[in-house]
Amino acid sequence: MTDPTRDRPWLIRTYAGHSTASASNALYRSNLARGQTGLSVAFDLPTQTGYDSDHILSKGEVGKVGVPVCHLGDMRALFDDIPLEQMNTSMTINATAPWLLSLYIAVAEEQGADITKLQGTVQNDLIKEYLSRGTYICPPEPSLKMIGDVAEYCYTNVPKWNPMNVCSYHLQEAGATPQQELAFALATGIAVLDELKPRVAPEDFPALCGRISFFVNAGIRFVTEMCKMRAFVDLWDEILETRYGVENPKFRRFRYGVQVNSLGLTEQQPENNVYRILIEMLAVTLSKRARARAVQLPAWNEALGLPRPWDQQWSMRMQQILAYETDLLEYGDLFDGNPAVDVKVESLKAEARAELANIDSMGGAIGAIDYMKSRLVDSNAERLNRIENNETIVVGVNKWTEGEPSPLMGEDGGIMVVDPAVEQDQIDRLNAWRADRDETRVQAALDDLRAAAAEGRNVMPASIRAARAGVTTGEWAQQMRAVHGEYRGPTGVSRAVSNKTEGLDHIRQAVDAVSDRLGKRLRFLVGKPGLDGHSNGAEQIAFRARDCGMEIDYEGIRLTPEQIVEAARNGAHVVGLSILSGSHIPLVEDMMERMRTEGLDHVPVVVGGIIPDEDAKRLIAMGVAKVYTPKDFVLNTIMSDIVALVDSKAVAAA
């Protein structure tokens, strides 16, 4: 007999998708059979950024960090034999959220589903993409309008769907303090509600507020993180009541899902990540008043590469044991009335309110994008400095670094590797899809879509018609680019040297000496080839190189190897490439060939990213001078290496 006082378990998810739609479908059905209670779809970077699998920028990225979905056929294959009317599906998609939701609705219609019963979430948060993840397409204003289009359409047609997940997850990974995470996420929520309020009747607005959900991060300082979640609950309730006049407490409820911190996992002694994941999960489950309604956990080996199905199963079992074996769900909130918790929560709320007022004075989240980006870069630099200086202890990284080899690694290196042939297979299927469709119908759908965007109509109805007609992801996004233009987000790295320069004197002296030998200031080009938008590492390398006295050249994310080589021709003395998406082999291979062709093979190239040892050997064989992975966390050592590389070239030239 069910205990009526027992809280119901949260939705148990694993964030999954890779290689192809068919391979991902098999993984989903396997996970559901093992007790997963909701789907969380990871899309590959071309899909996230609005490119088809055969686009030049997609090279090396297809199927690496998620599943490629180019058209209705891919979406059909992705959910084959999975009844969408009975499923709760989270889709981590932002710039192309209107399109992927349109494909999802079209597949549900083909299955005979009642669309009004569909349940799930599209992340659909473009503001955090400008700040931290980098999968944006269009400028902020039209992007905010498209967020509103999805929310307005869902409210009327798919009422159980969460049309927007305000995502603070990547803000924390980009360096946000708890106070900044609270303020920046809530500012995004306010911007979206301000966009939505004129779109619906006043009596309907509170219910629309109730459909906005959040997706948060939980870091290792789990008491602070738990207090942060209680602060989120209070502040969202306060904003909806005082700013928007929402009277019904049901519509003011802070509804959130969570993934615990992935970038905080370590390559060194990766087995320790199991404990980190468990402790971080406690932050979002222990407090009933601030308990997540959906939880997805990374796997222990995500700092190494793509988790295997077994690794994902192990993380899912962690959730199931807490939810079903322990007595956690039988009790009320364990922290109500705790004076230490109350003081911390009130402190976080006060600091977040002050930051929100600051952002509001700049015109809200859209007007404050440059400010928020620069604050994140500064906060991340401070966090890394504390680790470098041993002020923050990370077990196995800067303390207790000696340990036994992990038996979990196995002969496969402890990760799953996507077959490079997957990319060509996906391109072949894409070409076959294009050949079989009705081009007249496709063109009519694209014309209607472009007109809807240009005229300011809601793009969802035209997008769904385009999905049915066979339009591809790249074609949909091209219409948005044609109407609204493309956008280059702020890097957050100014050229002015910061005042946080303790301990850099010896490196500055070395930079000055090498610059004297070169006859000009040592110039360091930092580039991010491909579609990887995780820019934190590149930003911190550029930030530190600048403070060490180097002239930096960093133009942000999403560049082709051709563009980076063109920039290198402008006098770069060393080129640093940052790639976290697993596409390092094909992109660096292309890059090195272009450097040779342009007569730049004398310029040292260094590469950083999540790079397995065997791949590092291949990169060195290609001519890469140095390879850095997350275990190389001491930035000053990297700076010294760069100076030495340039100095050896300068001495040889002399």
Side-chain angles (χ1 to χ4, degrees):
M1 185 174 178
T2 304
D3 181 357
T5 64
R6 182 182 173 89
D7 196 16
R8 62 187 173 88
W10 50 88
L11 277 170
I12 295 175
R13 289 176 168 144
T14 53
Y15 180 57
H18 64 84
S19 303
T20 66
S22 295
S24 298
N25 171 262
L27 179 62
Y28 296 162
R29 287 191 283 115
S30 172
N31 284 345
L32 289 169
R34 294 171 183 168
Q36 186 171 303
T37 54
L39 292 177
S40 181
V41 181
F43 295 99
D44 74 355
L45 288 175
T47 304
Q48 292 186 50
T49 50
Y51 294 106
D52 287 329
S53 296
D54 59 352
H55 192 278
I56 182 63
L57 278 169
S58 301
K59 183 178 180 181
E61 306 280 19
V62 176
K64 286 284 173 61
V65 301
V67 57
V69 175
C70 290
H71 48 71
L72 186 61
D74 284 341
M75 193 66 96
R76 271 190 211 124
L78 187 62
F79 293 108
D80 186 38
D81 287 333
I82 298 175
L84 297 186
E85 189 176 306
Q86 301 171 31
M87 192 51 52
N88 190 305
T89 304
S90 171
M91 294 194 286
T92 303
I93 198 76
N94 294 285
T96 52
W99 175 242
L100 271 296
L101 180 57
S102 295
L103 289 172
Y104 188 88
I105 289 170
V107 168
E109 289 173 337
E110 289 182 346
Q111 291 184 357
D114 179 349
I115 301 304
T116 65
K117 294 182 180 178
L118 294 181
Q119 296 185 71
T121 305
V122 275
Q123 192 164 96
N124 199 26
D125 178 356
L126 265 299
I127 294 176
K128 66 92 179 176
E129 295 300 318
Y130 306 124
L131 300 178
S132 52
R133 184 60 186 90
T135 67
Y136 51 79
I137 296 174
C138 298
E141 288 81 2
S143 295
L144 182 61
K145 191 262 180 190
M146 280 189 272
I147 293 172
D149 286 355
V150 172
E152 182 184 24
Y153 182 86
C154 288
Y155 180 71
T156 304
N157 299 279
V158 198
K160 294 185 178 181
W161 194 269
N162 300 321
M164 199 258 182
N165 225 208
V166 179
C167 179
S168 71
Y169 176 86
H170 295 104
L171 300 180
Q172 185 182 121
E173 290 204 331
T177 64
Q179 297 88 335
Q180 288 170 339
E181 188 179 344
L182 285 163
F184 294 2
L186 292 169
T188 298
I190 289 169
V192 171
L193 291 181
D194 286 350
E195 167 71 22
L196 290 175
K197 193 170 185 180
R199 291 178 178 240
V200 297
E203 61 270 21
D204 291 337
F205 184 66
L208 186 54
C209 292
R211 295 314 308 175
I212 303 299
S213 58
F214 287 72
F215 185 70
V216 305
N217 199 333
I220 194 65
R221 292 173 58 82
F222 83 100
V223 176
T224 298
E225 294 293 294
M226 184 270 293
C227 291
K228 178 190 76 181
M229 296 321 307
R230 290 170 73 94
F232 255 134
V233 169
D234 291 350
L235 288 168
W236 186 240
D237 181 85
E238 178 183 301
I239 288 167
L240 290 178
E241 184 173 25
T242 60
R243 184 180 178 112
Y244 296 104
V246 177
E247 296 178 357
N248 188 337
K250 174 185 174 184
F251 297 139
R252 301 199 307 263
R253 187 179 304 145
F254 185 80
R255 300 160 61 250
Y256 81 100
V258 65
Q259 172 159 317
V260 306
N261 197 333
S262 290
L263 286 188
L265 303 180
T266 64
E267 180 183 7
Q268 305 94 315
Q269 301 177 16
E271 62 278 2
N272 295 342
N273 294 329
V274 176
Y275 305 122
R276 293 186 177 104
I277 293 165
L278 173 60
I279 290 167
E280 290 167 350
M281 179 172 62
L282 295 178
V284 294
T285 54
L286 284 179
S287 175
K288 182 176 180 178
R289 189 162 65 86
R291 183 170 294 148
R293 294 321 313 169
V295 177
Q296 59 192 44
L297 302 180
W300 68 279
N301 52 352
E302 288 201 20
L304 309 176
L306 192 64
R308 301 158 300 191
W310 183 88
D311 307 312
Q312 292 190 325
Q313 175 185 293
W314 198 17
S315 282
M316 183 164 60
R317 294 293 184 250
M318 193 182 294
Q319 294 201 54
Q320 290 167 329
I321 290 167
L322 183 64
Y324 295 103
E325 290 192 27
T326 76
D327 58 355
L328 174 66
L329 299 180
E330 297 171 14
Y331 294 91
D333 199 292
L334 306 178
F335 299 97
D336 281 350
N338 182 303
V341 169
D342 289 346
V343 167
K344 182 64 175 176
V345 170
E346 290 306 314
S347 171
L348 288 170
K349 285 160 58 177
E351 292 174 75
R353 287 191 196 100
E355 186 67 278
L356 273 169
N358 188 26
I359 292 168
D360 202 42
S361 72
M362 299 178 191
I366 295 294
I369 284 173
D370 283 18
Y371 163 76
M372 291 190 286
K373 178 65 176 179
S374 65
R375 291 296 297 120
L376 289 176
V377 173
D378 287 346
S379 295
N380 208 17
E382 291 170 7
R383 180 184 68 85
L384 292 174
N385 283 340
R386 289 193 296 272
I387 295 172
E388 270 191 272
N389 296 329
N390 292 330
E391 295 168 22
T392 296
I393 300 301
V394 183
V395 174
V397 173
N398 60 2
K399 197 171 182 66
W400 304 297
T401 55
E402 296 298 319
E404 295 295 321
S406 171
L408 296 171
M409 302 291 282
E411 293 182 4
D412 60 2
I415 57 172
M416 183 175 72
V417 178
V418 174
D419 186 342
V422 159
E423 184 166 317
Q424 189 57 52
D425 289 345
Q426 173 68 12
I427 292 171
D428 291 344
R429 282 190 298 275
L430 173 60
N431 288 330
W433 176 266
R434 290 188 184 123
D436 289 345
R437 64 188 184 173
D438 182 339
E439 284 302 321
T440 302
R441 188 182 175 203
V442 167
Q443 193 55 54
L446 289 172
D447 291 344
D448 182 37
L449 179 64
R450 185 165 180 164
E455 295 164 12
R457 287 188 272 135
N458 191 311
V459 299
M460 283 299 296
S463 296
I464 294 171
R465 287 192 291 273
R468 296 181 190 128
V471 166
T472 68
T473 297
E475 291 166 342
W476 180 89
Q478 183 53 38
Q479 306 312 305
M480 301 304 111
R481 289 183 170 98
V483 173
H484 303 304
E486 289 198 67
Y487 182 73
R488 294 291 295 171
T491 67
V493 182
S494 72
R495 295 190 179 275
V497 176
S498 78
N499 59 5
K500 303 181 182 71
T501 56
E502 299 85 356
L504 301 182
D505 287 347
H506 66 293
I507 304 176
R508 285 177 161 180
Q509 291 167 5
V511 170
D512 288 343
V514 173
S515 297
D516 288 344
R517 280 193 281 277
L518 292 169
K520 59 180 71 173
R521 178 60 43 184
L522 190 163
R523 187 168 186 177
F524 182 25
L525 169 62
V526 180
K528 282 196 65 63
L531 296 176
D532 171 34
H534 276 304
S535 58
N536 307 335
E539 290 157 2
Q540 292 307 314
I541 290 291
F543 193 97
R544 182 63 59 85
R546 176 202 67 190
D547 288 353
C548 288
M550 301 181 204
E551 182 179 348
I552 58 164
D553 190 352
Y554 174 57
E555 296 302 323
I557 63 171
R558 217 182 302 169
L559 300 172
T560 64
E562 182 180 15
Q563 289 171 317
I564 296 172
V565 171
E566 181 63 30
R569 292 176 61 189
N570 295 328
H573 296 112
V574 63
V575 176
L577 304 178
S578 171
I579 308 168
L580 276 76
S581 63
S583 59
H584 42 269
I585 294 295
L587 287 175
V588 173
E589 196 168 37
D590 186 2
M591 178 84 190
M592 299 304 288
E593 181 58 38
R594 290 178 184 276
M595 292 284 282
R596 281 189 288 272
T597 300
E598 292 293 327
L600 295 171
D601 44 335
H602 63 285
V603 178
V605 175
V606 299
V607 179
I610 299 175
I611 301 171
D613 289 343
E614 287 304 310
D615 285 1
K617 293 174 185 174
R618 290 181 62 186
L619 295 177
I620 296 295
M622 290 178 198
V624 170
K626 293 275 187 179
V627 175
Y628 299 101
T629 69
K631 69 177 179 292
D632 302 299
F633 68 96
V634 181
L635 297 188
N636 283 356
T637 300
I638 297 174
M639 296 300 111
S640 296
D641 289 348
I642 289 168
V643 174
L645 283 171
V646 177
D647 195 24
S648 65
K649 295 289 183 180
V651 171

